[in-house]
C-alpha cells in the first residue's frame, strides 16, 4: 500500500492538464499525506483529477476484470492467450507487482487524493468539498473491501505513525464507510457561509449540485446495503440504515453520475482509447480480440432485445456469434472473422453504438439504470415503499435509452410478456446484468458472487463449475511491506477464500 503508481500519474498530468486552462499543477496530487499541505494547491485544482482517476479505474480497470468474470467477455480464437491470468483464475499472477492488476495500489492512491481534499477542506471550512471527499473515500474503501476483504482503513494514510497499518474486518470497513456517507450527507446539508468555497465546473461529475451528490451518496449506501442482503444477522442493521435514507428525504439518483474533464479527439475518453480507437483513429488491439460470450448474445436474442443490434456487429453469415470464455481451441467458429465485435461508429455507419459513442463521451461512474435496479431490488425485499415493477421498468428504459434504442422499440420491448415484471429478484438481476454489459462489469461480478445470478458458464479451462473467482489476493506490495497483516489473513486461493458478504 505504500507504493503508489507514479506511471499513471504521468499520464494523468499530460492528459487532463491539457483539458483545463490554468490547471497545469492541480494533477500533482500523489503526495505524502503526512507532509504539510501545499497551500498553492487549491481544492478546485485537486477535485477534478481525483474524480477523473476514480472514474478511470471504474470504467477501465475494474470494468475489464468484471466483464470477464461477470459473463460478458471472451476472446476470439486467435487471441486466446491474452488475459491468461484472468481466464485461468491465476491469483498469484494477478497479484504480481510486475504483470498483475494493481487495483489495491491504485485504489489507495486514489483514496489518498480524497484524504488530502478532506484535510484541506476541513482546514478551510468548506463543507461541500469535505462532503464530496467523504463520499468518494467511502467509495474507494468499499471497492477495496469488495475485492480484497479485510483492508486498512483508520490507519491507511498515516504511515509515519502506522508504517504497517492494521487490517480491519470487511464488515467493519463497510459499517465505517456507510457512516462516512451519513456524515457526508449531513455535511452537505449543513448551513454554509457565503464565503465558503463550493465547487462548480471543477466538479466534473455534478457541477457542484449538492442535491445530486446527496442522492449519489444515498445510492452508494443502498448498493452497500444490498451487497450484504444475504448475510445472516444483518437485517436490523440494514433496516436502520434504510430508515436514515428515508428520513433524509433526497432519494436516489435519477440521472447517471458521469465524469468528463473535457475529453477531445486528441485527448479522448480512456475507455474509448483502450477498447475501441486510438488517438490516430486506428482500431485498438484490445478491440480486435475482445468478443461477447455466446451466453450474453443468447440472453438478448431470447428476449428479442433491441439493445443487441446496437451492441454488436453481425458476422458475414448474417448472425450474432459469440465465443466461450476461457476457450483454448482453434475452431473456425470462434475466429476473429467469424465472431461479433463490440459496435461503435466505424461499424455503425458513423452512428453511435451502445457503449462506444464518440471519443468525447463521458466515463460512467454510476448509471441511472443501476440506481433504478438497486431500488427495484430494495422494493422487492420490502426495504422501501416504492413499486418494484415500476422501478424495474425505469431501469430497462434508462438502459435502452443509454444504448441508443428508439423510444418505440423500448415500448415494444417492455410490452413483451417475457419482460413484464414477475415479482422476482432473479428477473431484476437479469435485466440489471443486461444493462451493465461492458459498462460496469465489476457490479455484474459482485451480483454473481452475492446471488449466483445470472447463471452464465464458467471459464472453459475450469472443469468444476463450482470453482469461480471470489476475490483477489493481497498484492506483492503488501506481502513485501505489511507481511504480518497479510499472513494473519492467510488468503491463498482466489477461488476458495470469500469476502465477508459473499455467502452464496
Amino acid at each position: 500500500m505504500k507504493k503508489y503508481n507514479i506511471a499513471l500519474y504521468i499520464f494523468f498530468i499530460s492528459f487532463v492538464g491539457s483539458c483545463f486552462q490554468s490547471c497545469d499543477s492541480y494533477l500533482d496530487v500523489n503526495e505524502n499525506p503526512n507532509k504539510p499541505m501545499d497551500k498553492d494547491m487549491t481544492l478546485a485544482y485537486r477535485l477534478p483529477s481525483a474524480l477523473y482517476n476514480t472514474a478511470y479505474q471504474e470504467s477501465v480497470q475494474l470494468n475489464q476484470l468484471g466483464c470477464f468474470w461477470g459473463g460478458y467477455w471472451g476472446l476470439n480464437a486467435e487471441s486466446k492467450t491474452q488475459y491468461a491470468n484472468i481466464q485461468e483464475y491465476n491469483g498469484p499472477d494477478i497479484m504480481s507487482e510486475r504483470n498483475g492488476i494493481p487495483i489495491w495500489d491504485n485504489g489507495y492512491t486514489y483514496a489518498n487524493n480524497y484524504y488530502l481534499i478532506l484535510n484541506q477542506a476541513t482546514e478551510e471550512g468548506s463543507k461541500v468539498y469535505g462532503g464530496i471527499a467523504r463520499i468518494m473515500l467511502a467509495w474507494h474503501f468499499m471497492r477495496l473491501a469488495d475485492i480484497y476483504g479485510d483492508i486498512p482503513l483508520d490507519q491507511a494514510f498515516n504511515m509515519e505513525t502506522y508504517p504497517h497499518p492494521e487490517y480491519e474486518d470487511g464488515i467493519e470497513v463497510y459499517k465505517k464507510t456507510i457512516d462516512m456517507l451519513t456524515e457526508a450527507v449531513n455535511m452537505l446539508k449543513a448551513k454554509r457561509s457565503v464565503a465558503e468555497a463550493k465547487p462548480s465546473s471543477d466538479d466534473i461529475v455534478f457541477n457542484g449540485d449538492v442535491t445530486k451528490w446527496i442522492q449519489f451518496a444515498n445510492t452508494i449506501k443502498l448498493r452497500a446495503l444490498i451487497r450484504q442482503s444475504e448475510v445472516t444477522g444483518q437485517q436490523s442493521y440494514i433496516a436502520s440504515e434504510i430508515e436514515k435514507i428515508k428520513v433524509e428525504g433526497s432519494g436516489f439518483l435519477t440521472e447517471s453520475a458521469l465524469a468528463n474533464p473535457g475529453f477531445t479527439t486528441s485527448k479522448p475518453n480512456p475507455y474509448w482509447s483502450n477498447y475501441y480507437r486510438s488517438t490516430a483513429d486506428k482500431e485498438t488491439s484490445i478491440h480486435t480480440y475482445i468478443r461477447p460470450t455466446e451466453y450474453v448474445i443468447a440472453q438478448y436474442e431470447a428476449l428479442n432485445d433491441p439493445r443487441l443490434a446496437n451492441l454488436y456487429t453481425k458476422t458475414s453469415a448474417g448472425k450474432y456469434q459469440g465465443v466461450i470464455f476461457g476457450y483454448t481451441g482453434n475452431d473456425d467458429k470462434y475466429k476473429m472473422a467469424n465472431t461479433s465485435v463490440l459496435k461503435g461508429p466505424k461499424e455503425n455507419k458513423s452512428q453511435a453504438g451502445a457503449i462506444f459513442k464518440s471519443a468525447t463521451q463521458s466515463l460512467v461512474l454510476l448509471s441511472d439504470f443501476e440506481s433504478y435496479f438497486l431500488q427495484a431490488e430494495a422494493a422487492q425485499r420490502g426495504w422501501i415503499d416504492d413499486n418494484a415493477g415500476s422501478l424495474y421498468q425505469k431501469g430497462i428504459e434508462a438502459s435502452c435509452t443509454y444504448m441508443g434504442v428508439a423510444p418505440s422499440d423500448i415500448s415494444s420491448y417492455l410490452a413483451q410478456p417475457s419482460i413484464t415484471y414477475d415479482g422476482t429478484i432473479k428477473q431484476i438481476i437479469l435485466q440489471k446484468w443486461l444493462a451493465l454489459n461492458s459498462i460496469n462489469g465489476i457490479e455484474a461480478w459482485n451480483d454473481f458472487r452475492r446471488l449466483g445470478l445470472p447463471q452464465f458458464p464458467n471459464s472453459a479451462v475450469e472443469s468444476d463449475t463450482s470453482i469461480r473467482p471470489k476475490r483477489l489476493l493481497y498484492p506483492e506490495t503488501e506481502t513485501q511491506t505489511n507481511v504480518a497483516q497479510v499472513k494473519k489473513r492467510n488468503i491463498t486461493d482466489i477461488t476458495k477464500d470469500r469476502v465477508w458478504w459473499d455467502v452464496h
Side-chain angles (χ1 to χ4, degrees):
M1 195 183 73
K2 295 168 70 176
K3 185 172 182 179
Y4 292 147
N5 193 325
I6 304 299
L8 280 174
Y9 271 88
I10 294 171
F11 166 77
F12 294 145
I13 290 168
S14 63
F15 168 66
V16 188
S18 67
C19 297
F20 290 89
Q21 292 183 348
S22 304
C23 292
D24 56 338
S25 64
Y26 79 84
L27 278 172
D28 188 17
V29 294
N30 190 26
E31 303 173 31
N32 185 339
N34 302 304
K35 291 182 179 179
M37 202 172 297
D38 181 357
K39 299 302 180 184
D40 295 328
M41 188 73 74
T42 67
L43 291 167
Y45 279 2
R46 291 188 189 278
L47 182 62
S49 65
L51 292 172
Y52 169 77
N53 292 344
T54 301
Y56 177 95
Q57 185 182 38
E58 191 74 9
S59 297
V60 179
Q61 186 180 63
L62 295 175
N63 181 49
Q64 174 178 289
L65 181 66
C67 283
F68 283 119
W69 286 354
Y72 300 126
W73 288 1
L75 302 164
N76 56 51
E78 294 94 329
S79 308
K80 61 195 174 189
T81 59
Q82 301 292 330
Y83 298 109
N85 55 359
I86 294 176
Q87 295 188 85
E88 297 169 2
Y89 307 154
N90 187 336
D93 194 33
I94 292 171
M95 71 174 275
S96 166
E97 184 175 358
R98 180 176 180 180
N99 299 314
I101 307 174
I103 293 172
W104 177 282
D105 288 353
N106 289 355
Y108 273 105
T109 298
Y110 303 157
N112 178 54
N113 295 344
Y114 297 108
Y115 177 80
L116 294 173
I117 291 171
L118 178 58
N119 286 347
Q120 185 171 350
T122 301
E123 278 190 10
E124 298 179 7
S126 172
K127 299 181 186 68
V128 178
Y129 279 104
I132 293 171
R134 284 183 189 275
I135 292 169
M136 300 312 298
L137 268 172
W139 174 285
H140 280 287
F141 282 130
M142 284 179 182
R143 274 285 181 247
L144 287 161
D146 287 341
I147 294 168
Y148 295 98
D150 302 347
I151 62 168
L153 192 154
D154 287 344
Q155 298 181 6
F157 301 121
N158 193 347
M159 288 297 179
E160 290 182 358
T161 304
Y162 304 109
H164 309 293
E166 243 182 74
Y167 288 13
E168 301 181 40
D169 291 346
I171 189 170
E172 292 303 316
V173 171
Y174 253 63
K175 287 179 180 177
K176 288 182 178 181
T177 51
I178 286 172
D179 287 345
M180 281 185 199
L181 294 171
T182 301
E183 293 164 8
V185 168
N186 292 338
M187 187 177 290
L188 291 171
K189 296 187 77 170
K191 186 176 180 180
R192 298 185 295 274
S193 68
V194 175
E196 196 171 317
K198 180 180 179 295
S200 54
S201 60
D202 56 303
D203 171 6
I204 62 171
V205 177
F206 293 126
N207 201 37
D209 191 315
V210 170
T211 299
K212 290 176 184 176
W213 273 110
I214 293 171
Q215 292 172 338
F216 181 65
N218 288 340
T219 307
I220 299 169
K221 183 185 285 191
L222 181 61
R223 179 201 272 173
L225 296 172
I226 283 179
R227 190 88 82 231
Q228 54 197 289
S229 62
E230 309 306 298
V231 180
T232 302
Q234 288 298 101
Q235 295 312 309
S236 61
Y237 171 75
I238 292 170
S240 67
E241 292 299 326
I242 290 289
E243 185 61 26
K244 291 178 186 177
I245 296 174
K246 291 178 180 178
V247 171
E248 188 280 317
S250 297
F252 306 101
L253 278 180
T254 57
E255 66 176 70
S256 294
L258 306 174
N260 196 327
F263 296 123
T264 65
T265 54
S266 59
K267 300 292 183 182
N269 174 312
Y271 180 78
W272 172 279
S273 60
N274 272 274
Y275 296 108
Y276 187 55
R277 311 295 291 188
S278 70
T279 53
D281 200 29
K282 302 294 185 182
E283 183 181 28
T284 65
S285 59
I286 298 177
H287 190 252
T288 65
Y289 52 72
I290 292 290
R291 293 294 186 268
T293 61
E294 290 181 325
Y295 182 86
V296 72
I297 286 179
Q299 303 316 299
Y300 287 118
E301 288 183 329
L303 296 173
N304 299 310
D305 197 309
R307 289 171 286 194
L308 178 63
N310 290 353
L311 275 163
Y312 307 115
T313 60
K314 286 185 177 181
T315 67
S316 58
K319 65 176 184 176
Y320 297 102
Q321 177 61 53
V323 298
I324 298 171
F325 173 54
Y327 177 75
T328 58
N330 292 295
D331 193 319
D332 283 347
K333 178 181 180 181
Y334 300 122
K335 289 187 175 178
M336 190 182 304
N338 301 320
T339 48
S340 298
V341 67
L342 284 164
K343 183 183 284 188
K346 291 292 182 181
E347 299 80 21
N348 199 32
K349 300 179 180 179
S350 298
Q351 300 299 306
I355 58 170
F356 296 124
K357 304 173 186 300
S358 76
T360 61
Q361 69 187 69
S362 298
L363 292 166
V364 178
L365 189 57
L366 197 160
S367 64
D368 53 355
F369 37 92
E370 183 189 351
S371 176
Y372 284 127
F373 287 123
L374 289 169
Q375 294 173 66
E377 182 174 346
Q380 195 278 342
R381 292 179 180 276
W383 296 358
I384 59 177
D385 298 329
D386 303 82
N387 183 274
S390 175
L391 291 164
Y392 159 86
Q393 181 171 313
K394 286 180 179 179
I396 296 173
E397 290 173 341
S399 167
C400 289
T401 299
Y402 181 82
M403 291 192 182
V405 177
S408 58
D409 291 334
I410 298 175
S411 297
S412 297
Y413 182 61
L414 291 169
Q416 294 183 110
S418 59
I419 304 305
T420 302
Y421 180 55
D422 64 6
T424 66
I425 288 178
K426 181 178 181 180
Q427 191 180 34
I428 293 171
I429 295 300
L430 174 60
Q431 282 295 333
K432 182 182 179 184
W433 184 76
L434 294 171
L436 295 177
N437 180 6
S438 301
I439 297 168
N440 194 342
I442 202 69
E443 282 304 304
W445 179 47
N446 287 337
D447 278 339
F448 182 80
R449 287 189 289 166
R450 178 172 64 98
L451 298 169
L453 296 172
Q455 296 176 339
F456 47 82
N458 203 358
S459 173
V461 301
E462 181 51 70
S463 58
D464 187 340
T465 58
S466 68
I467 295 179
R468 304 267 190 160
K470 295 175 172 61
R471 61 175 309 127
L472 295 187
L473 301 179
Y474 294 113
E476 285 187 354
T477 49
E478 281 296 284
T479 62
Q480 294 165 1
T481 63
N482 204 6
V483 64
Q485 289 295 314
V486 173
K487 284 185 175 180
K488 185 177 179 180
R489 268 64 191 179
N490 193 31
I491 305 300
T492 60
D493 192 332
I494 67 171
T495 66
K496 293 180 180 178
D497 299 310
R498 303 170 184 267
V499 299
W500 73 277
W501 50 258
D502 178 8
V503 298
H504 171 71

